[in-house]
Amino acid sequence: MSTLALMLAVAPAAAEFDPASELVRVILSLFGIIALIVVAGWLTRRLQRRPGMGGRRIRCVETFAVGARERLLLIDADGKRLLVSMGAGGTRTLHVYDGEVPAQSEPEPLKPLPSASDLLARWKRRS
């Protein structure tokens, strides 16, 4: 019994469970893990965008599926624009455009989607 009494006397009062402090610790740990995931995603995107030595000289501008296995590719390479056919039979250059590569035109902005209340009002009128 003397060893048990000695252990109880020496042991701090930490044997008590405080649910509020444990909840705060768990929530802070969760936020820390979420922050690590966000930082890892940001770093991954940033490192993928970094161009290689001297930047990229080849860029695929647009692709168009002609069939199940055939595609047309519009490629910028060293300031020239090429129309390339790619399929089961191989790859062929169809046309090399002369002159400078045209500037990219900005796409037209999309119309805003109607709100949920507008959609419900239309649906009620049709019924």
Side-chain angles (χ1 to χ4, degrees), residues 102-118:
Q104 293 287 334
S105 61
E106 301 225 358
E108 294 181 17
L110 298 174
K111 295 179 184 177
L113 294 174
S115 66
S117 60
D118 292 339

Side-chain angles (χ1 to χ4, degrees), residues 59 61-62 74 76 79 81 98-107:
R59 183 173 65 98
V61 176
E62 191 173 343
L74 192 59
D76 284 342
R81 189 162 274 190
D98 295 329
E100 288 188 23
V101 175
Q104 293 287 334
S105 61
E106 301 225 358

